[in-house]
Amino acid sequence: MSNTLDILDCSGARVGEYIIPEGVIEMEKGAQAVHDAVVAYLAGARAGTACTKTRGLVRGGGAKPWRQKGRGGARAGSGRSPVWVGGGTIFGPQPRSFAKKVNKKVLALALKRALSERIAEGDVMVLDKFAIADHKTRSAYAVLKNLKIQNDTIMLTVGEYDEATVCATGNIPNLVLRRSGTVNVYELLRFKKLVFSKDALDAFIERLA
């Protein structure tokens, strides 16, 4: 697999070559690390807010419904027992965190493997810089059209947000704007095309060291 990528400008013309540093490409191991990282990301995104009332939380039930003995029926201590209609729930869900821990080295390996696979598939593009003259959505869309990816789902990664880029890309439904410091394994796999500005790819590769 080649460790070089073409650097394009916003018109789609080749203006240079980006050499991936040695040690970043990883295709022999890391499949399990990618799986673990994606599972942890999706688990962490769960709200975990499902909540049911136990018998101690249901309103009422303070008085004993009837005397303990002498009625010929079963004894009862509360009208909010789980076996009664309107009673509490047994072993129902309670608010909890679904977060899973992934070690830093495992996460770095997962990022390397995911990036390497996308490079091998030809889905990673490098721009010298994502520069538009105004805040117009059509200006950003014109760049995607020049790159011939306007119909794909796209993650555009920049070094830092700037007002023009945020405004111009905010209304493009198939594009998500990210900073290089926040890109995760799930997003590397989710989108059809990954577009990095050169400084963003430099910063992202530093995270893999």
Side-chain angles (χ1 to χ4, degrees):
M1 185 179 94
S2 174
N3 67 334
T4 61
L5 297 170
D6 291 336
I7 300 178
L8 309 175
D9 62 16
C10 289
S11 67
R14 184 180 184 276
V15 294
E17 187 176 75
Y18 191 96
I19 300 177
I20 306 295
E22 186 177 352
V24 172
I25 301 298
E26 178 58 77
M27 295 295 290
E28 294 184 0
K29 59 184 179 180
Q32 184 62 45
V34 170
H35 176 270
D36 292 345
V38 170
V39 168
Y41 176 83
L42 294 176
R46 296 182 65 177
T49 54
C51 183
T52 55
K53 290 186 177 181
T54 65
R55 64 184 295 166
L57 298 175
V58 178
R59 183 180 180 186
K64 187 173 174 64
W66 49 72
R67 65 181 186 272
Q68 181 82 349
K69 306 172 73 67
R71 296 181 69 255
R75 57 193 174 182
S78 170
R80 292 298 177 257
S81 168
V83 301
W84 283 37
V85 173
T89 300
I90 304 174
F91 304 131
Q94 295 293 315
R96 55 170 291 194
S97 170
F98 289 90
K100 297 179 181 292
K101 184 178 183 299
V102 179
N103 293 334
K104 288 183 179 179
K105 289 185 178 180
V106 174
L107 183 58
L109 176 59
L111 288 169
K112 285 183 181 180
R113 177 61 184 261
L115 179 65
S116 299
E117 288 185 353
R118 299 312 303 275
I119 291 174
E121 293 166 359
D123 293 328
V124 177
M125 307 180 75
V126 184
L127 292 178
D128 58 346
K129 59 181 177 178
F130 189 82
I132 51 178
D134 51 34
H135 297 63
K136 302 290 186 180
T137 299
R138 66 167 159 260
S139 299
Y141 188 78
V143 175
L144 304 182
K145 202 167 182 179
N146 292 336
L147 299 175
K148 299 179 180 179
I149 58 173
Q150 71 274 16
N151 295 323
D152 297 320
T153 56
I154 305 157
M155 181 174 70
L156 172 62
T157 306
V158 295
E160 293 294 338
Y161 295 141
D162 64 84
E163 185 178 357
T165 301
V166 172
C167 290
T169 60
N171 286 329
I172 300 178
N174 58 323
L175 181 145
V176 170
L177 182 66
R178 290 286 184 268
R179 289 191 303 108
S180 56
T182 64
V183 174
N184 57 63
V185 176
Y186 177 74
E187 291 179 326
L188 287 177
L189 302 176
R190 174 187 173 194
F191 297 93
K192 178 64 178 175
K193 295 294 182 181
L194 306 177
V195 180
F196 289 84
S197 64
K198 183 179 178 299
D199 60 330
L201 188 54
D202 288 336
F204 181 72
I205 287 176
E206 285 183 11
R207 290 176 56 191
L208 309 182

